[in-house]
Amino acid sequence: MQSLPTRTRRALLGAPKETEQIRGLTLPKRAALPIFGADGFSAIAYAPDEIMMVLALAGSAGLVMSPWVGVGVAVTLLLVIGTYRYNIRDVAASGGDYHVVSDRLGPRTGAAAGASLLFDFVLTVAVSVSSASSYVTTLIPVLAGHRVVVAVLLVVALTLIYVRGLHFKGRIALLPALLFVLCLVAVLGIGIIESWFGALDAAPSAGFHVRPETAESNSLTGFGLLLLVARSFSSGAVTLTGVESVSNSVRFFRAPKARNAAYSLVAMGLSTAVALVGILYLADASGAVVTLDSSQLVINGHAMTEDYPQMPVLAQVAQAVTGHNILLGVFLASTVLFLLLAPAAAYAGFPILASTMAEKGYLPVHFRARSNRSLYANGELVLGAATVVVVLAFRADVNDLIQLYVVGVLFSMSLTQAAVFLSRHQEIRVVLARLPRRRLLRDQVVTMIGLVATVLATVVVLVTKLAQGAWVTVLVVGFLTLATLAIKKHYTTIDQELAVKQKNPLKALPSRVHAMVVVPRLRKPALRALAYARATRPSTIEGLVLNVDEAETRKIRQLWDKYEVPVPLTILASPFRDPVTPVVEHVREVRKASPRDVVIVYVPEYVLEHWWDKFLHHRSGSKIAAALRREPGVVTAMVPWRLGHEDEEKLS
């Protein structure tokens, strides 16, 4: 797990462009690849399950097609990565996918892309920890019934680690990734050789027969077959999710940034494609099965119950190759560690993207780096809290989360490809030199292929997954987009209203200033408020007494005369013992008589020594100040008196 050093996190509080030049922020390829490529490569821990679960709807016969669907997913992945490799310079130059879309397709489209990316970061963490919890319960069977609790605890642990700023040096960060890759290469290599010589053991689920879910899904011909394969492909398309993680993390690579990021992207894509096909091949060879519903599994004529725990496909393949021994435990432990490394890009990218959108006015100012010294901590806490909500809502079910995840990723990738394509088309129109124009045309053709591939994949996923849960992503991204646009409109309206439009803004001064001092009791805080009001030399000044209690009002008038307070006293009737309405109505009468005048209302208040003291006092002054805050031409001045600091108050 890798987080940014403390000095780097502090330096990130500057402008986004400045972050690229921060010393110590960039990482070499050997460290950046496992950190930011883990999101994509870790998909092999759950993508085979998603492909096989859908095919299993047609029964055991449908699982035969899983390696071929894996090949289709791998080809699509390599195609998209090949096109992204040509676009990564444009993405890097602009500062990330959000900047590319916002600058080249317009701010509204950029808001949609930003909303999609923010939700994708949440789903990245949710999918990774949910998958990790599945492997934890496989490694420790006693936790099988507590998978949701394990996932939530993992989210909390990751969030605390990143909030605390814990980070590892490059060679230490490589250890979880290196351990997992070595174990995976050994499992795939030995397993493929054993399958060639017929020595591969059977998977733990090889003895199960998978019955079709419905009579309609039992059809493996015509439209039924096409729909089944399309749904399986859509589930396997989760392997494409890591492309954005690398392209949006170019700033963290050492120079030459774009080239190193492109190499890392290709390396991640090739390794993911090969591993995915290899795992599905060994799953087929070892007879491993996995289903959406455990009741589809039948052994000796008896169906399993719905709560029957199923091992992930990768774990079954590993057990078929290594056996049920300590080697399997090491492999499962390395898988868990690698899955927990995958959210690193999300924890690094979420605060930066939120800050960028806040700088443009599409998110609350609390996310702005320049106005929030706890940018990273707040962003990571928001990410962690949102992830916990999603994990609890979907009960850490990886299959349900995948339906949400794929749609958002493909949507934002399509927008990025479209933005690069349109901007390059405009550039081609003005470039006349042969060699530069030929190079641009070549890149444009590649981009067009990638755009067509991502758009088609998005359409397929929407058509096949909309009813299975993809509608949630459409709804959430749509809501977040409208929310960001509403926030932008709010800030724009305020800027327009508060903008100085006069040549001499100080020319139109108020005619007079009326000072009013609220006097709940004639004690030291009230006397201080009266003294402050007189010191400002207003045009008029008066003390306001609320006649809530006749006896208390008489006492105030007696003390007023006794101490010869040189301020006129106004007694306001309060028949319903309301301390707010009489003051507001009196202020409105004064404003109505002299609209150009300014009214300043001084309200004495206690500054309590302990937080629990507030339950022992009325706090009516705060209510009056809150009510007057909305009145035009009225200024409220709170005059504090600190309880428990008598000596200091005398000096003031």
Side-chain angles (χ1 to χ4, degrees):
M1 285 164 282
Q2 169 108 6
S3 182
L4 300 178
T6 302
R7 69 177 179 187
T8 298
R9 291 154 63 96
R10 292 174 179 172
L12 278 171
L13 300 177
K17 292 183 179 179
E18 296 172 358
T19 62
E20 299 183 5
Q21 302 175 353
I22 299 173
R23 182 182 179 184
L25 175 63
T26 57
L27 298 171
K29 285 184 293 185
R30 67 177 183 275
L33 176 58
I35 298 303
F36 302 110
D39 180 20
F41 191 63
S42 64
I44 64 173
Y46 45 83
D49 301 67
E50 300 305 312
I51 293 174
M52 294 179 64
M53 283 178 179
V54 175
L55 293 175
L57 293 174
S60 298
L63 292 172
V64 178
M65 295 182 294
S66 59
W68 299 106
V69 175
V71 171
V73 173
V75 171
T76 304
L77 172 63
L78 294 177
L79 182 63
V80 172
I81 284 180
T83 57
Y84 245 79
R85 181 178 179 273
Y86 283 87
N87 299 337
I88 204 165
R89 294 182 184 276
D90 294 85
V91 176
S94 299
D97 287 3
Y98 169 72
H99 289 280
V100 171
V101 176
S102 182
D103 296 341
R104 304 182 187 185
L105 294 183
R108 290 182 176 272
T109 308
S116 179
L117 286 169
L118 289 175
F119 193 49
D120 288 345
F121 284 135
V122 174
L123 291 175
T124 296
V125 184
V127 171
S128 297
V129 297
S130 297
S131 181
S133 67
S134 298
Y135 283 90
V136 169
T137 54
T138 301
L139 182 63
I140 310 174
V142 71
L143 298 176
H146 307 282
R147 188 162 50 87
V148 178
V149 176
V150 172
V152 171
L153 292 177
L154 290 176
V155 175
V156 173
L158 284 176
T159 303
L160 291 178
I161 288 173
Y162 285 107
V163 167
R164 292 292 298 171
L166 183 63
H167 66 283
F168 300 89
K169 294 184 178 180
R171 60 179 180 271
I172 300 178
L174 280 172
L175 292 179
L178 183 60
L179 178 62
F180 175 71
V181 170
L182 289 177
C183 292
L184 182 64
V185 169
V187 167
L188 292 180
I190 297 173
I192 291 174
I193 294 175
E194 288 180 345
S195 68
W196 288 347
F197 291 95
L200 181 63
D201 291 338
S205 60
F208 287 100
H209 170 73
V210 181
R211 66 180 182 182
E213 179 68 18
T214 62
E216 179 183 355
S217 61
N218 192 28
S219 175
L220 290 178
T221 59
F223 182 74
L225 174 62
L226 179 62
L227 180 61
L228 189 69
V229 172
R231 286 187 59 185
S232 179
F233 171 85
S234 300
S235 297
V238 69
T239 54
L240 276 67
T241 56
V243 176
E244 280 187 324
S245 298
V246 178
S247 66
N248 282 307
S249 304
V250 177
R251 62 168 65 89
F252 299 116
F253 285 80
R254 283 185 182 172
K257 297 178 180 293
R259 181 184 300 176
N260 288 337
Y263 288 157
S264 300
L265 187 63
V266 172
M268 182 203 70
L270 285 173
S271 57
T272 303
V274 172
L276 176 65
V277 176
I279 293 170
L280 288 172
Y281 167 77
L282 290 178
D284 182 62
S286 63
V289 297
V290 63
T291 60
L292 287 171
D293 189 350
S294 299
S295 61
Q296 284 186 257
L297 298 175
V298 179
I299 186 168
N300 298 327
H302 299 285
M304 295 293 101
T305 59
E306 293 184 358
D307 58 350
Y308 175 76
Q310 300 185 68
M311 289 180 64
V313 172
L314 182 57
Q316 293 192 49
V317 169
Q319 183 169 333
V321 174
T322 64
H324 198 284
N325 50 37
I326 191 172
L327 295 179
L328 177 63
V330 172
F331 179 80
L332 294 177
S334 68
T335 305
V336 172
L337 291 176
F338 191 69
L339 284 168
L340 296 181
L341 182 65
Y347 277 99
F350 186 94
I352 294 178
L353 176 59
S355 173
T356 301
M357 295 183 68
E359 291 284 348
K360 293 179 177 290
Y362 289 96
L363 283 180
V365 294
H366 308 288
F367 288 100
R368 290 180 59 182
R370 294 176 181 174
S371 61
N372 184 3
R373 299 302 298 177
S374 302
L375 163 69
Y376 255 81
N378 288 349
E380 289 157 352
L381 288 174
V382 170
L383 176 60
T387 303
V388 169
V389 172
V390 171
V391 168
L392 291 175
F394 291 89
R395 299 194 58 79
D397 191 310
V398 178
N399 178 261
D400 289 342
L401 292 171
I402 291 298
Q403 318 308 319
L404 283 66
Y405 195 20
V406 178
V407 176
V409 171
L410 289 177
F411 172 69
S412 54
M413 286 174 62
S414 299
L415 290 179
T416 302
Q417 297 271 39
V420 175
F421 180 85
L422 291 178
S423 64
R424 191 170 288 155
H425 177 70
Q426 296 174 356
E427 188 176 356
I428 290 174
R429 295 175 60 184
V430 298
V431 174
L432 300 179
R434 173 180 291 183
L435 290 179
R437 184 180 178 84
R438 182 180 299 174
R439 190 180 301 111
L440 286 173
L441 288 172
R442 179 203 62 187
D443 294 346
Q444 186 72 322
V445 171
V446 174
T447 302
M448 183 178 65
I449 295 173
L451 176 61
V452 171
T454 52
V455 170
L456 287 178
T458 305
V459 172
V460 171
V461 170
L462 280 175
V463 171
T464 59
K465 296 294 185 181
L466 194 62
Q468 278 71 40
W471 64 270
V472 176
T473 297
V474 175
L475 185 64
V476 171
V477 172
F479 173 77
L480 290 177
T481 301
L482 293 177
T484 56
L485 293 176
I487 292 171
K488 177 65 174 179
K489 182 180 180 180
H490 171 77
Y491 286 134
T492 302
T493 302
I494 290 179
D495 290 340
Q496 292 175 350
E497 182 176 344
L498 300 183
V500 178
K501 301 177 181 179
Q502 301 176 356
K503 293 183 179 180
N504 187 357
L506 299 179
K507 184 177 181 180
L509 296 175
S511 300
R512 293 181 302 174
V513 176
H514 301 277
M516 302 178 185
V517 182
V518 178
V519 184
R521 296 183 186 180
L522 192 59
R523 297 189 294 185
K524 292 179 180 178
L527 293 175
R528 168 174 287 181
L530 289 166
Y532 282 8
R534 294 186 65 206
T536 61
R537 300 182 181 276
S539 303
T540 64
I541 183 173
E542 61 180 327
L544 302 181
V545 177
L546 296 172
N547 189 15
V548 176
D549 187 320
E550 291 286 349
E552 186 65 28
T553 301
R554 285 195 299 269
K555 182 178 180 181
I556 293 176
R557 294 186 63 177
Q558 293 172 359
L559 292 175
W560 201 273
D561 296 335
K562 177 181 178 180
Y563 296 130
E564 299 181 351
V565 180
V567 174
L569 187 63
T570 301
I571 298 177
L572 303 176
S574 181
F576 302 105
R577 308 182 69 85
D578 181 5
V580 178
T581 304
V583 176
V584 174
E585 291 179 349
H586 181 69
V587 170
R588 287 176 178 173
E589 290 178 0
V590 174
R591 285 279 302 155
K592 185 177 181 180
S594 303
R596 290 191 57 191
D597 293 355
V598 172
V599 176
I600 302 179
V601 180
Y602 294 85
V603 182
E605 67 170 348
Y606 307 128
V607 179
L608 303 173
E609 188 172 6
H610 306 101
W611 65 268
W612 58 82
D613 291 340
K614 65 182 180 180
F615 299 108
L616 306 177
H617 298 270
H618 278 302
R619 315 293 294 170
S620 58
S622 300
K623 296 179 181 179
I624 295 174
L628 293 175
R629 191 172 293 120
R630 296 181 178 275
E631 297 295 321
V634 178
V635 179
T636 305
M638 303 298 295
V639 182
W641 181 278
R642 295 190 301 170
L643 296 174
H645 297 77
E646 180 69 21
D647 295 337
E648 297 179 15
E649 294 294 348
K650 287 181 180 179
L651 294 176
S652 60

